Amino acid sequence: MNFTHTPDIVPFENRIKYKQLDSHQLNTLKHSVYQILERTGVYFPLEEALNIFEENGADVNRKTQIVKIPATVIEKALKTLPSAVVLGGREERFDLILDGSKGCVIPNSCGVFFMDLETGEKRNSYKSDVEQLARVFDALPHVCLTRPIIAATDKGVTNAVHECQALLTNSLKHARGATSMHPKLVPFILEMAQAIRGSEAEHRKRPIVNANICTLAPLGMDTHSLECALFYARSGIPQSMMAMPCMASTAPATVLGAVALGEAEIIALMTLLQLAVSGAPLIHCNLVGQMDPVHANNILDVGEPAGHIVVQMAREVWGLPSLGGVLSCMTADKPGWESGFIDGQSAAMMSLAGPDLPGFMGLLGESMIVYPEQIILAHEAIQRAYDMLYGFKFNEDDIALDVIESVGPRKHFLLSPHTAKGLRKLRHSPILRKKGPDKKLIDPKDVAKEIYQKIVAEHTPEPLPEDVLMELDRIVAAADEVGKTIK
């Protein structure tokens, strides 16, 4: 089978760090989080979780299932948290070392609609779309891993297992392919990861799948999510703890209040997992949103610097890898001025905060719809932010004094060999200012659609060995059989 080359990942080097808060302010926030956990507590609706907390000295109310966690218990647990996490690719060149030195963008998730380029119609998203998008993300160098940006709605209760298979078989990059699902299904995610690595030991060294577990604001957890999180921790699967406090609805109507609430949820869950499995690899993720006062929906494009604050909390207070603030315009109805403005601004600003995974890209329409052209446009905005922050390298020869002297006053540089050489190095956007045969500018959205279709038609990453592909098919079929027993 013919396949094409997957380009190396181009990361944002976190050498520029913008600090929103000083050390005193960060410490104040930290102790506010401790106060929330010790006085107010968090809802943990799982007997096993309550037992773990009780055995370690937390105040557990069995009737309400609310756990109040003393600072001593929290600090005991946090001491065992790894400060760096490895997310393995199929090839080592795609391994991500989350140690604070570099960051790359990741796709968004949880969409359920796809704007079909052939029909122009919005339709439900299918497993075949997840497979196609995995190949597109595999081809984009600023995207560091694959993720089911939209759901395989045609696969029912086992959709998450099918989505993970789609990622693993259509990209050489790490797969963010595990999440909350029915606990009966999570072992199949582990089976697939181990099948690709060849053994449990190799899987633990360079896990090819990571998981995401969401908390429930305010100060709550979900039973199935807790069961999944404990399984992932014991299996060596890295996971991000994602809080999504929404100012004015599920959190106070202030950035600091929402940050503190989200941090409390994350630290409570991390405390549980570290008490259960010392050293389990975890990633911090606090996505602060705000309620739209007109439509009451959650807006993640927060104008105030919540993203910078939560990245500082992750790295400077807790010493954890950070999946940063939001890097996408998920509330825009369709690609346009709003999405372009926010994607470009967010790409630059979140990179200055220095998270390991700067944020998300790719969804619009309240995080529900994939427009294929938006993925290409967002990647171009990220590329331009990268060029602005890291594209320039000082080279004394580039001052070109000899060239300036040879041309002299009141002449031009068009005929200089130096000009031809330099022009080849200058980056020109493949999307902006492209003209058609009639010499008229082509709408960048139409150019982006062409680029997307070209990737889909031409890019096929190197496939897994045939025996591994067959094993994944067997695992997914077994998951489907279990899925039939789930009500």
Side-chain angles (χ1 to χ4, degrees):
M1 178 180 178
N2 294 327
F3 59 88
T4 49
H5 176 74
T6 298
D8 290 342
I9 294 167
V10 178
F12 281 63
E13 299 172 13
N14 291 341
R15 63 174 184 261
I16 306 171
K17 295 286 182 71
Y18 168 72
K19 295 182 183 294
Q20 184 67 38
L21 302 182
D22 61 32
S23 58
H24 173 73
Q25 292 167 331
L26 288 173
N27 197 49
T28 299
L29 260 179
K30 173 184 177 180
H31 288 288
S32 298
V33 172
Y34 281 180
Q35 182 171 319
I36 293 168
L37 293 176
E38 192 160 6
R39 297 186 186 180
T40 308
V42 177
Y43 174 64
F44 279 90
L46 181 68
E47 188 70 16
E48 183 181 4
L50 299 178
N51 291 338
I52 291 170
F53 276 121
E54 196 168 62
E55 291 165 4
N56 286 275
D59 180 3
V60 176
N61 187 318
R62 295 280 176 173
K63 184 176 181 180
T64 64
Q65 298 182 309
I66 290 176
V67 178
K68 296 179 180 179
I69 316 171
T72 52
V73 175
I74 298 168
E75 291 180 348
K76 169 190 170 185
L78 296 188
K79 284 180 181 177
T80 66
L81 274 166
S83 60
V85 170
V86 176
L87 305 180
R90 200 194 299 171
E91 296 179 6
E92 285 193 29
R93 67 187 174 106
F94 297 110
D95 285 3
L96 306 174
I97 313 299
L98 308 187
D99 60 2
S101 64
K102 297 177 181 178
C104 288
V105 179
I106 71 174
N108 209 317
S109 71
C110 301
V112 293
F113 299 112
F114 187 84
M115 293 299 295
D116 196 301
L117 283 178
E118 293 185 8
T119 65
E121 299 294 322
K122 183 177 81 172
R123 58 167 173 76
N124 289 340
S125 54
Y126 309 128
K127 182 178 181 179
S128 58
D129 299 320
V130 180
E131 293 170 335
Q132 181 184 107
L133 286 159
R135 290 194 289 118
V136 171
F137 289 130
D138 186 80
L140 298 177
H142 286 296
V143 178
C144 64
L145 52 77
T146 55
R147 190 183 190 191
I149 188 171
I150 44 179
T153 63
D154 53 333
K155 296 303 177 182
V157 70
T158 54
N159 68 299
V161 179
H162 282 271
E163 290 158 11
C164 189
Q165 180 194 30
L167 303 182
L168 292 170
T169 54
N170 287 278
S171 176
L172 304 186
K173 297 178 181 179
H174 181 84
R176 190 166 165 82
T179 184
S180 300
M181 63 187 81
H182 196 284
K184 289 183 179 180
L185 297 174
V186 288
F188 297 106
I189 300 292
L190 178 62
E191 277 194 62
M192 285 194 287
Q194 292 180 347
I196 289 175
R197 282 292 181 248
S199 69
E200 178 184 357
E202 290 302 312
H203 152 71
R204 286 183 177 273
K205 286 180 188 176
R206 294 174 52 239
I208 197 168
V209 173
N210 84 83
N212 184 63
I213 301 294
C214 288
T215 61
L216 294 180
L219 300 173
M221 304 289 165
D222 168 74
T223 303
H224 282 177
S225 294
L226 289 172
E227 292 183 73
C228 291
L230 286 164
F231 178 90
Y232 294 138
R234 289 167 177 144
S235 303
I237 293 177
Q239 51 190 324
S240 57
M241 310 289 98
M242 181 180 287
M244 299 186 70
C246 180
M247 289 185 284
S249 61
T250 60
T254 59
V255 165
L256 290 177
V259 168
L261 183 90
E263 294 296 307
E265 294 170 6
I266 291 169
I267 295 306
L269 184 50
M270 287 188 170
T271 298
L272 168 69
L273 297 178
Q274 289 304 304
L275 293 174
V277 185
S278 178
L282 304 178
I283 304 165
H284 177 284
C285 183
N286 189 355
L287 304 182
V288 176
Q290 64 186 49
M291 186 184 72
D292 183 331
V294 177
H295 304 290
N297 56 307
N298 183 20
I299 303 170
L300 283 171
D301 303 322
V302 178
E304 296 187 65
H308 289 76
I309 294 172
V310 300
V311 172
Q312 276 193 272
M313 289 295 291
R315 272 294 171 197
E316 297 180 40
V317 175
W318 313 120
L320 291 168
S322 170
L323 199 167
V326 177
L327 192 149
S328 181
C329 185
M330 295 175 281
T331 53
D333 289 335
K334 56 186 177 181
W337 181 89
E338 180 186 1
S339 62
F341 168 75
I342 293 177
D343 277 340
Q345 172 186 273
S346 299
M349 294 305 296
M350 279 311 304
S351 296
L352 292 176
D356 298 273
L357 301 169
F360 312 119
M361 56 88 81
L363 282 179
L364 296 176
E366 308 297 343
S367 302
M368 291 288 104
I369 310 171
V370 164
Y371 286 80
E373 65 269 33
Q374 172 61 21
I375 291 171
I376 304 302
L377 292 168
H379 192 266
E380 177 64 14
I382 294 163
Q383 175 67 56
R384 291 174 73 84
Y386 177 88
D387 290 343
M388 179 183 69
L389 292 170
Y390 306 108
F392 173 77
K393 301 289 190 297
F394 186 89
N395 184 338
E396 190 173 345
D397 290 340
D398 287 346
I399 301 174
L401 289 175
D402 56 335
V403 179
I404 296 170
E405 184 177 349
S406 67
V407 172
R410 303 188 65 199
K411 296 180 182 179
H412 62 74
F413 292 79
L414 291 174
L415 298 179
S416 169
H418 181 273
T419 298
K421 184 178 179 181
L423 273 174
R424 295 188 192 99
K425 294 181 179 179
L426 296 176
R427 181 181 184 273
H428 299 276
S429 170
I431 295 174
L432 302 179
R433 294 178 293 279
K434 183 175 182 180
K435 294 182 179 181
D438 58 0
K439 305 301 181 183
K440 292 183 180 179
L441 287 173
I442 304 174
D443 188 322
K445 288 184 288 186
D446 292 331
V447 180
K449 289 178 183 178
E450 292 176 7
I451 293 173
Y452 181 94
Q453 290 170 319
K454 181 178 175 63
I455 293 173
V456 170
E458 298 180 0
H459 183 63
T460 302
E462 184 175 1
L464 287 163
E466 190 62 33
D467 60 331
V468 176
L469 289 171
M470 292 175 62
E471 177 64 6
L472 296 188
D473 285 340
R474 183 199 66 76
I475 293 168
V476 172
D480 284 335
E481 289 302 311
V482 171
K484 294 174 183 177
T485 69
I486 297 172
K487 303 295 184 181

